Amino acid sequence: MYEQHFPHKRYKETLAFLEKHVPKDQALLDLGVENPLTKLLKKNDYQIENTKGEDLDLDFSSVKNSSAEVVTAFEIFEHLIAPFNVLREIKADKLVASIPLRLWFSPAYRSKTDPWDRHYHEFEDWQFDWLLEKAGWKIIDSKKWTNPVNKIGIRPLLRKITPRYYMVYAERIS
């Protein structure tokens, strides 16, 4: 067995969490366009298809037309104005989703150059849990982890001890 290099700690954490809950023979629909994490999951034998870049606040066609057994949503719900709507439209019975957590010492992320790369929401864990529950999902497992940076200062120190990411495995409530 070889040691796999991960460009980000969250990739390593995401892959481990997915392997814990989702067999590799189950088809995945990932909300969001193909990205480096998608490529990593394919490299690790996951059958994954991505949405096409449509506005998931308004267009649910990829979700409605998918026959995937599992939907994944890695750091996308914070970009949506109304994530509740797409969560209700998912046909799959399993969901693996991650979000960046709201940090009290840092403002919500907003790109100065890309008008689409902004966080409309940065959730606390209980808020995300409530959103999933109201949308018809039961959380089976969850995990949080930090995102340390190699810098000196108060914020970098806080990033070493404050969880930044939150991931859940949930199943549809009948």
Side-chain angles (χ1 to χ4, degrees):
M1 187 169 189
Y2 67 95
E3 180 65 29
Q4 188 165 9
H5 174 71
F6 294 93
H8 301 286
K9 179 180 179 182
R10 72 180 177 91
Y11 289 9
K12 180 179 181 180
E13 297 289 346
T14 299
L15 180 60
F17 193 83
L18 199 60
E19 287 176 333
K20 179 180 177 183
H21 295 289
V22 179
K24 293 185 179 184
D25 64 348
Q26 291 188 336
L28 309 178
L29 173 66
D30 184 42
L31 303 183
V33 297
E34 187 168 313
N35 57 67
L37 181 56
T38 307
K39 292 175 184 171
L40 176 69
L41 296 178
K42 286 180 179 179
K43 183 178 173 184
N44 282 273
D45 301 321
Y46 277 99
Q47 306 164 41
I48 188 166
E49 174 188 349
N50 287 80
T51 55
K52 309 298 181 232
E54 63 272 31
D55 184 341
L56 293 171
D57 274 318
L58 303 171
D59 182 355
F60 312 123
S61 57
S62 290
V63 174
K64 287 181 172 183
N65 296 326
S66 174
S67 60
E69 299 162 272
V70 181
V71 168
T72 58
F74 304 121
E75 285 88 53
I76 189 162
F77 291 131
E78 67 274 11
H79 298 278
L80 301 179
I81 292 171
F84 175 83
N85 296 325
V86 74
L87 282 163
R88 293 286 299 167
E89 296 295 334
I90 293 171
K91 292 186 334 188
D93 290 331
K94 297 177 183 177
L95 173 70
V96 178
S98 62
I99 55 164
L101 290 167
R102 181 179 168 274
L103 299 176
W104 60 269
F105 56 86
S106 183
Y109 174 74
R110 181 178 178 186
S111 170
K112 293 181 186 340
T113 58
D114 184 348
W116 295 104
D117 191 17
R118 298 176 178 176
H119 290 184
Y120 186 80
H121 302 280
E122 286 195 346
F123 300 93
E124 293 184 33
D125 57 353
W126 68 268
Q127 292 171 308
F128 191 60
D129 292 354
W130 190 28
L131 169 65
L132 292 173
E133 179 185 316
K134 289 195 62 108
W137 296 92
K138 178 181 179 186
I139 296 172
I140 307 299
D141 191 16
S142 64
K143 180 177 182 157
K144 292 181 195 176
W145 65 90
T146 61
N147 186 39
V149 293
N150 292 324
K151 294 181 180 179
I152 297 173
I154 298 296
R155 278 194 197 177
L157 174 63
L158 291 171
R159 287 185 186 279
K160 287 185 182 196
I161 60 174
T162 306
R164 175 61 172 150
Y165 293 102
Y166 180 56
M167 181 170 281
V168 300
Y169 167 66
E171 295 180 355
R172 172 72 66 195
I173 299 170
S174 299

